[in-house]
Each structure stands twice: as C-alpha cells, then as structure tokens.
Amino acid sequence: MMIAKDKLNSLNEAMAEGNEKGRSPFADARVRFFKNRLALIGLLLLAFIVAFAVFGPFIARWPIDEIDFMVMGDIARDGGPSFANGHYFGTDDLGRDLFARTVLGTQISLAVGLIGSSIAVLVGTIYGAASGYFGGRIDGVMMRIVDILLAIPYMFVLILLLVMFGRSLVLLFVGIGLLSWLEMSRIVRGQTLTLKGREYIEAAQATGVAPRTIIRRHIVPNLLGVVIVYATLLVPGMILSESFISFLGLGVQEPLTSLGALISQGAATMNYGTLWQLVFPLLFFILTLFSFFFLGDGLRDALDPKDR
C-alpha cells in the first residue's frame, strides 16, 4: 500500500512538472505577473480608478456645473468635505461639487492617456515594423525622419497647435498621440530587425508571401509583448503631458475639466484655507500614475524573455 501511494505521488509530481514545462510563454508570463506584488498593487489601483471613473457619476449628488449658493458666502468654512450636503470632496472656489468634477477629470485624463497611447502605438508599430522589415535605404530614410522629428520639442508643437486651432478635446487626443509615436517606432524597428532573420519569416518570403502580409501575420503578432509593455508605460506620460497643458490653461474648456486643471485651480486657492481643492485631485492623479507605472513594470518583468 505504501509503495502504491509513493508511486502515485511521484506520478502526480511528474504530471505537475510536465504541465509547468508545457506552459505557453503567455501562461508563464501570467504566473510570473501574479507573483509580482507591486504589479498586483498597480492592477488593483487601476481597477479602483476605473471603477471611480465609471460609477462615480451615479454616486455624485451634484452635477458638475451646478453652483451650491449655500456655501458661496464662505467657501473656506462651509465648502469643505461633507456628507450632509452631498459634497463628499467639498466644493471648488465657485461652489461647484468637487467630487463630480474629480470624477469627470479622472475620466478625461484616462481617456487622454488611453486614446493617445493607442494612436501612438498604432502609428509607431506600423511605421517601425515597415522600416525594420524593408531595411536598406528605406530604413535609413524612415529613421532619419524620426530623428529629425525627435529633435523638435513636441510639447511646444502641441501648445502651438492648441493656440492656433483653439482648445479642442479631439485635437488634444490626436495631438498627444501623433507626437508620441516616435520612440515606439524605434523600439518596434529594433525588434523587427531581430525577427526578420527567423526561419519562418524566411520561409514565408521564399514562398512568395507579400511583405504586407508577412508584417501583419508574422511580425506584428510577435511584437505584442513589447508593444503592450511600452503602451502601459506610455499612458502615464500622456496623462502628465495633458495635465501640464491643462495646468497652463490650454487644456480642456469649461464646463469640462481634467485632473491637471483641477490641480491648477486647487494650487491657486490653497492659501485661502481650501486645501481639499488640491488634495483630492492630486491624490487621484498620483494613484493613476502609480497604477500604470507598477502595472507596466510588472508586465515588463513578466514578458522579458531573459527571465523565462
């Protein structure tokens, strides 16, 4: 009986070891990701931020642009956080509910980061994959274009666009995205150069498969790990850029707002005893940045082939 039990345990251990060895790279990366505590913290923080942005409007008791005239007399005394009058985060210097405006600011900042990074990833991946695959003079010309564009301060260009064409949320999304694809293209190009010499790529070329099809079916799918990691690290930069522009007063227009605009307003009024106007938007701004940084670092460690 004991011998049979020992054989059964040995068989179970062998099966478990075989299953572990037979895991796909992404399954292995998933296991490694969930072992990373900071990555899990980032994932939980991001889930909280997204839940706050999605369900916050249903919790808020005041619209974003409605003024509470009951606190207009003395904002410093009557406009602080209070569950009695429904101002969970207090009111701003005009008597508007800060909770509702922080929810809206979180929504817009997340949208800028996600949409802007999506545009940058799409353009940068296509451009970099094409440059690395074709190589030669085409690669040289395309990369020199990237080098020239990188020498131009994109923040100055974005501010110039907003001044020339007016403050527009769509222009802000597209401008940040289209001016941030350059680094992505260089990373994708480098990875494409290493993939181009693989056997399956050479086999596809030998059978007459079109370059566009090879890039779409063989190059880009093998770049997903690098692209996903860089995209998560790109989102905080997008949010920081939008917040900086909004802090300068060139971002979204009223009654819309963003976390950068709210921080700017809170910083301007903090000397009047209304510190909550700065603390709450700044708190969600910091949590959002940390969540993406931790998530990006965790994905990078989990998908790094050197650690497998």
Side-chain angles (χ1 to χ4, degrees):
M1 181 67 69
M2 292 295 294
I3 296 176
K5 187 176 295 185
D6 291 339
K7 288 184 177 180
L8 182 61
N9 292 333
S10 300
L11 181 62
N12 290 333
E13 291 177 0
M15 291 177 62
E17 185 179 355
N19 290 333
E20 185 175 354
K21 289 182 179 179
R23 283 192 308 223
S24 66
F26 281 100
D28 185 55
R30 183 174 64 249
V31 172
R32 291 145 60 84
F33 176 82
F34 283 104
K35 289 182 179 179
N36 190 326
R37 293 185 178 180
L38 288 179
L40 287 178
I41 291 174
L43 185 62
L44 293 175
L45 282 177
L46 183 60
F48 169 72
I49 295 296
V50 172
F52 175 78
V54 172
F55 299 106
F58 303 101
I59 302 175
R61 291 171 54 182
W62 292 82
I64 60 170
D65 55 352
E66 183 173 342
I67 297 175
D68 186 1
F69 292 98
M70 298 296 295
V71 301
M72 284 297 292
D74 191 351
I75 294 290
R77 186 188 66 186
D78 302 324
S82 173
F83 283 87
N85 55 16
H87 298 303
Y88 309 130
F89 291 174
T91 59
D92 63 5
D93 53 326
L94 297 179
R96 297 172 296 185
D97 183 50
L98 189 60
F99 178 85
R101 294 181 65 78
T102 303
V103 170
L104 178 62
T106 305
Q107 292 174 347
I108 291 181
S109 293
L110 282 177
V112 169
L114 295 176
I115 295 175
S117 63
S118 299
I119 295 173
V121 165
L122 180 63
V123 176
T125 301
I126 295 174
Y127 192 93
S131 175
Y133 178 79
F134 290 108
R137 292 183 178 179
I138 296 177
D139 178 41
V141 172
M142 294 178 72
M143 284 298 102
R144 296 300 75 75
I145 293 174
V146 170
D147 292 338
I148 293 172
L149 293 177
L150 281 172
I152 302 174
Y154 88 94
M155 186 63 71
F156 173 76
V157 175
L158 183 57
I159 293 174
L160 187 62
L161 290 175
L162 291 171
V163 171
M164 290 176 59
F165 299 102
R167 292 186 294 173
S168 169
L169 196 59
V170 176
L171 180 61
L172 191 62
F173 286 173
V174 176
I176 290 179
L178 289 179
L179 294 172
S180 304
W181 61 271
L182 302 172
E183 288 293 341
M184 170 62 77
S185 67
R186 300 180 74 173
I187 293 174
V188 170
R189 180 247 185 190
Q191 294 294 319
T192 303
L193 289 175
T194 61
L195 292 173
K196 190 171 63 171
R198 301 288 176 87
E199 290 81 2
Y200 57 90
I201 301 294
E202 294 179 351
Q205 292 172 342
T207 55
V209 180
R212 181 176 60 183
T213 305
I214 294 176
I215 293 174
R216 186 179 72 250
R217 292 184 179 178
H218 300 293
I219 300 293
V220 173
N222 284 282
L223 296 173
L224 285 180
V226 176
V227 169
I228 291 172
V229 171
Y230 189 76
T232 56
L233 296 175
L234 194 62
V235 173
M238 301 282 184
I239 296 176
L240 281 170
S241 298
E242 182 277 328
S243 300
F244 176 71
I245 291 175
S246 296
F247 192 87
L248 295 178
L250 297 173
V252 295
Q253 292 179 318
E254 293 287 353
L256 299 178
T257 189
S258 68
L259 292 178
L262 291 174
I263 292 171
S264 176
Q265 295 170 3
T269 60
M270 62 181 298
N271 293 329
Y272 301 101
T274 58
L275 191 61
W276 64 84
Q277 295 185 28
L278 175 64
V279 169
F280 289 108
L282 186 61
L283 173 64
F284 279 89
F285 178 75
I286 293 174
L287 289 179
T288 303
L289 293 184
F290 272 121
S291 66
F292 279 106
F293 281 134
F294 289 160
L295 186 62
D297 287 340
L299 287 174
R300 182 187 59 195
D301 295 340
L303 295 172
D304 189 357
K306 297 178 182 178
D307 292 335
R308 288 178 187 161

